[in-house]
Amino acid sequence: MPYPTDPAGIAGLWISWLLMLMIYSYPLYKENPVYRFAEHTYIGLMLAIMLITTTITTTIRMVGPPLMQGKVWYVIPVILGFMMFFLLTPRYRWLSRYPIAILVGAGFGLGMRGVLIPNITKQVISTITPPAVGAGAVDWWNYIYIAIGTICAVMYFVLTWEHRGAMGYATRLGRWIIMIGLGAYFGNTVLFRMAMLSGRAQFFLQVLRIAPM
Amino acid sequence: MSEEELTFWEKLARIDRRVFYWILFIGLMIPFIRPIMFPISISPSTRDLYEGIKEMVEPGDVVVMNIAFGVSAWPECMPAFVSCAKLFIREGAKIIIWGSYYDVDLTYEELLRRAKEDFAKLKYGEDYVYLGYYPNMEASVAQLGSSIRSIFSTDKYGTPLDELPMMKNVDKATDIKLVVSGDTGDCCDYYIRQWRIPYGVPVAEIGIAMLGSSYMPFYKSGVLFGMSVGVRGGAELEKLIGEPGEATIRMGAINISHILVIIAVVLANIGYFASRGKRR
């Protein structure tokens, strides 16, 4: 966004800059009331924006126009949505179980719809398919490492056989493979946090007009 | 044990983490004051994303850009997302933009601002449309695949979809050439399950660095036709489209942060191993 020129825009920019520093006072100094205030303000504002956006989108944009066109069945999800609020009354709480059951059932059904091919079939085929003719040593290393790693990592979770002898070696290797995998995942997580922090460092400079906005 | 009795190595292992945070925060600012450029090589997943778009998209094809990242993830996802939008426009594609994050409007406006020169050549409603936010992710994504109008009867500004020229013959996943999803979570999973598998629509991912290891198996198995991972992916795409920008500069900050983390890990381990014998 460009550097604002209107008073409200400038005020908003500086307030967000101050709130950011208030939040960072926790890691850079220690927990303090200023940090708490900023944290609570952030959570409250975020929930308010989420609530308003979701309510407006579902009621006015998604349900409103079809209802106006006479598609009365669009009122069913609205009723089911309101039934959720019976969670708050012990006497009629049982009514809230119907929308929850529909939500869980629909979510599970939709999730299962396309999960087998990309998550199982394609992954198995990809794991056991050797590199093409003329592939380099790195490709072959990856192929062997992933194939053996997958088998050993899966064997680590086979609990019906005792992990002894040949099984013991394989599961120990599987445990190492899992640790390497989790390490890589954690490394990526740290990388993401660094990128976010660099975004804040850039914003810090932009508000002070040290870096271009 | 008092501070005076500690050896040099023990003191090294006990440096207050706040010292490191201050150094990190200040160190990350340097590239934004004085850009530090490093050579950037192109990874196969980013190259496939770029070449996939160039090969598959013909002028007039309709593509979807899904925004599933919030303002906080702009540093990671935005550069790659903007580069993809520029690429789509240069290939002559018509773009539908929607999103599953409640602050999607801000991201859309930022996308238009960052690719201002490219979007200035387009006409809203004929070359691109913005449909806004959809809640209840997977159910909505599934429904969008069978009928876009059952979720969005109008665009974000209240214009009925039938009145928008580019949306006249577009209503189902099969009318869409490909989907690019910018993610901080698992929204790309929904497009894989609800668009890629049932309808065969090619899907690509622009994810935060954390998602690199999660989606790599999908890319390797051909489920995703391409993938951009974090700032690095953004910098690679900027290089591929020939417009080095924010991600290229940010890579300097990322490199500094990595060097600092490596130094901290090495120092802490030296301190740990040097003082281990003493503890025994």
Side-chain angles (χ1 to χ4, degrees):
Chain A
M1 61 181 182
Y3 205 96
T5 48
D6 58 310
I10 293 168
L13 200 67
W14 279 97
I15 288 169
S16 58
W17 188 81
L18 281 172
L19 283 168
M20 182 190 83
L21 289 185
M22 285 157 81
I23 291 280
Y24 279 142
S25 70
Y26 178 68
L28 296 175
Y29 174 52
K30 63 179 182 178
E31 186 164 343
N32 58 80
V34 168
Y35 160 74
R36 284 264 171 134
F37 172 78
E39 183 194 27
H40 294 177
T41 307
Y42 171 72
I43 293 169
L45 278 173
M46 193 188 71
L47 284 172
I49 293 169
M50 197 188 293
L51 188 70
I52 291 167
T53 310
T54 309
T55 309
I56 289 174
T57 306
T58 48
T59 54
I60 298 173
R61 289 198 62 212
M62 289 182 175
V63 177
L67 273 178
M68 296 295 178
Q69 291 163 12
K71 295 173 182 171
V72 284
W73 56 89
Y74 269 72
V75 83
I76 296 170
V78 177
I79 293 168
L80 286 168
F82 276 111
M83 280 167 72
M84 285 276 201
F85 289 110
F86 283 110
L87 263 174
L88 304 170
T89 59
R91 194 174 170 189
Y92 297 107
R93 185 170 289 164
W94 59 275
L95 278 168
S96 66
R97 289 181 189 149
Y98 289 97
I100 291 171
I102 291 168
L103 265 182
V104 172
F108 188 70
L110 282 168
M112 287 302 290
R113 184 191 188 193
V115 84
L116 285 175
I117 295 171
N119 289 45
I120 298 172
T121 317
K122 290 262 187 185
Q123 299 310 321
V124 170
I125 292 169
S126 171
T127 305
I128 61 173
T129 307
V133 180
V138 175
D139 292 321
W140 276 101
W141 161 253
N142 281 340
Y143 166 64
I144 294 165
Y145 171 77
I146 290 170
I148 293 174
T150 305
I151 292 164
C152 292
V154 170
M155 282 172 82
Y156 179 73
F157 294 99
V158 176
L159 304 172
T160 44
W161 290 331
E162 206 170 345
H163 293 184
R164 278 186 175 183
M167 183 78 171
Y169 291 120
T171 53
R172 204 170 302 146
L173 181 62
R175 192 170 62 188
W176 276 97
I177 297 284
I178 291 167
M179 285 162 71
I180 291 167
L182 290 175
Y185 196 80
F186 181 71
N188 279 335
T189 308
V190 173
L191 182 58
F192 169 54
R193 305 295 161 196
M194 292 297 170
M196 287 178 94
L197 187 61
S198 76
R200 293 301 84 206
Q202 185 186 20
F203 178 70
F204 181 89
L205 297 172
Q206 285 173 330
V207 176
L208 297 173
R209 290 179 182 258
I210 296 171
M213 191 163 254
Chain B
M1 193 184 286
S2 68
E3 195 69 22
E4 290 79 33
E5 291 170 351
L6 293 174
T7 64
F8 170 76
W9 300 112
E10 284 166 333
K11 284 179 184 170
L12 203 63
R14 291 189 183 193
I15 295 173
D16 193 329
R17 65 170 182 267
R18 285 173 294 187
V19 174
F20 176 69
Y21 290 153
W22 272 106
I23 295 170
L24 190 62
F25 193 57
I26 294 165
L28 285 174
M29 291 180 192
I30 296 167
F32 298 107
I33 300 167
R34 192 181 172 83
I36 305 164
M37 298 296 189
F38 292 92
I40 294 165
S41 58
I42 312 293
S43 60
S45 61
T46 313
R47 187 174 291 283
D48 284 348
L49 170 59
Y50 174 79
E51 286 177 357
I53 291 172
K54 284 194 81 84
E55 282 166 19
M56 280 188 273
V57 176
E58 302 285 334
D61 284 342
V62 180
V63 298
V64 165
M65 295 192 80
N66 175 58
I67 300 169
F69 60 94
V71 172
S72 59
W74 280 4
E76 281 268 274
C77 296
M78 206 58 173
F81 208 70
V82 171
S83 299
C84 264
K86 287 178 177 176
L87 191 55
F88 281 138
I89 293 168
R90 289 166 198 180
E91 292 300 310
K94 295 179 184 296
I95 310 169
I96 299 174
I97 303 162
W98 60 44
S100 55
Y101 242 73
Y102 55 90
D103 56 6
V104 62
D105 291 351
L106 294 173
T107 307
Y108 168 69
E109 283 164 19
E110 185 65 11
L111 172 68
L112 292 193
R113 192 188 73 78
R114 292 197 192 187
K116 192 163 56 182
E117 287 170 13
D118 290 82
F119 274 101
K121 297 171 197 157
L122 308 183
K123 194 170 178 191
Y124 183 83
E126 286 181 18
D127 303 308
Y128 71 103
V129 291
Y130 175 54
L131 302 188
Y133 168 71
Y134 62 87
N136 196 9
M137 287 221 240
E138 184 152 20
S140 296
V141 172
Q143 193 57 31
L144 283 166
S146 55
S147 171
I148 293 170
R149 280 166 179 75
S150 65
I151 298 285
F152 298 110
S153 51
T154 66
D155 71 349
K156 172 69 185 175
Y157 311 106
T159 311
L161 292 196
D162 293 326
E163 290 177 20
L164 296 164
M166 73 164 267
M167 293 301 291
K168 282 225 165 92
N169 299 313
V170 177
D171 192 42
K172 298 185 292 292
T174 46
D175 302 325
I176 306 295
K177 190 72 181 184
L178 58 89
V179 178
V180 169
S181 181
D183 274 327
T184 50
D186 53 359
C187 196
C188 191
D189 280 351
Y190 309 148
Y191 282 92
I192 290 171
R193 290 202 286 260
Q194 310 301 338
W195 283 50
R196 174 76 180 90
I197 300 304
Y199 303 105
V201 179
V203 176
E205 161 81 351
I206 292 173
I208 54 174
M210 217 164 91
L211 295 178
S213 46
S214 306
Y215 283 108
M216 192 51 81
F218 291 108
Y219 162 69
K220 287 280 185 188
S221 59
V223 176
L224 296 174
F225 75 84
M227 191 171 88
S228 162
V229 181
V231 180
R232 169 72 194 232
E236 291 171 9
L237 275 172
E238 284 176 354
K239 187 179 178 182
L240 284 168
I241 65 164
E243 289 185 20
E246 191 195 316
T248 311
I249 295 168
R250 194 176 301 284
M251 276 309 292
I254 297 291
N255 285 325
I256 284 178
S257 71
H258 283 203
I259 291 164
L260 286 171
V261 168
I262 290 166
I263 290 171
V265 169
V266 169
L267 287 180
N269 276 285
I270 289 172
Y272 172 76
F273 284 109
S275 59
R276 193 167 65 164
K278 196 179 169 184
R279 279 202 303 275
R280 279 177 180 165

